């Protein structure tokens, strides 16, 4: 199968909900997810999975239970190692790309009402249809 490119701008344009990840691509048991975030999420960790956040638009604040808050700007990425408690936050709407195993839950070991399954992109963006 010959793959198609994914247009990230078009993909982000297909949804507005925050903290509701979309699956843009899959490879090697890992998923590339897109999410819009605004406001503070919940502090959590992923016992078995490292988690990559790449900022596509805006500014991501990553709070850590055991350390300083990091600011990740457009074009920057951060990898949160497994087991490290973290809490994404953004003062203004921020668009992020996540790279993590398919099994990773957004709320990690915390669970609760903000848990969301990542759902496929629905519009014709070339990805995950
Ligand atoms: Ni996480």
């Amino acid at each position: 199968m010959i793959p198609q490119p994914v247009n990230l701008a078009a993909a982000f344009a297909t949804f507005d909900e925050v903290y509701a990840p979309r699956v843009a691509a899959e490879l090697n048991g890992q998923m590339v997810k897109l999410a819009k975030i605004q406001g503070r999420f919940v502090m959590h960790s992923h016992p078995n999975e490292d988690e990559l956040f790449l900022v596509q638009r805006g500014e991501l604040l990553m709070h850590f239970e055991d350390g300083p808050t990091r600011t990740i700007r457009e074009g920057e990425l951060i990898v949160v190692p497994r087991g490290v408690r973290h809490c994404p936050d953004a003062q203004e709407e921020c668009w992020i790309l996540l790279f993590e195993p398919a099994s990773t839950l957004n709320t990690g070991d915390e669970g609760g009402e903000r848990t969301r399954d990542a759902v496929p992109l629905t519009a014709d963006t070339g990805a995950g249809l």
Side-chain angles (χ1 to χ4, degrees):
M1 188 183 84
I2 305 302
Q4 289 202 43
V6 177
N7 185 300
L8 291 179
F12 275 109
T14 63
F15 65 100
D16 292 318
E17 196 184 355
V18 296
Y19 288 110
R22 289 340 194 235
V23 178
E26 287 190 62
L27 66 162
N28 304 319
Q30 306 257 326
M31 282 183 172
V32 177
K33 301 176 184 174
L34 308 180
K36 295 181 176 180
I37 67 170
Q38 187 166 20
R40 192 178 173 116
F41 199 52
V42 291
M43 186 68 73
H44 65 277
S45 67
H46 310 275
N48 304 306
E49 298 132 347
D50 305 326
E51 196 171 36
L52 179 148
F53 298 79
L54 168 66
V55 177
Q56 196 70 23
R57 179 177 294 186
E59 198 169 275
L60 169 67
L61 299 174
M62 190 65 76
H63 305 295
F64 293 99
E65 195 166 80
D66 297 321
T69 295
R70 299 294 192 203
T71 301
I72 304 97
R73 298 182 176 83
E74 208 166 286
E76 296 182 338
L77 66 82
I78 191 168
V79 176
V80 176
R82 62 195 66 190
V84 173
R85 286 178 64 76
H86 60 284
C87 177
D89 189 6
Q91 294 186 334
E92 316 225 333
E93 187 173 281
C94 174
W95 297 2
I96 57 175
L97 181 153
L98 297 113
F99 186 62
E100 60 194 11
S103 58
T104 301
L105 280 180
N106 63 335
T107 51
D109 56 1
E110 207 61 31
E113 63 184 18
R114 303 193 76 173
T115 302
R116 292 278 190 292
D117 286 328
V119 300
L121 289 166
T122 50
D124 187 12
T125 55
L129 299 177

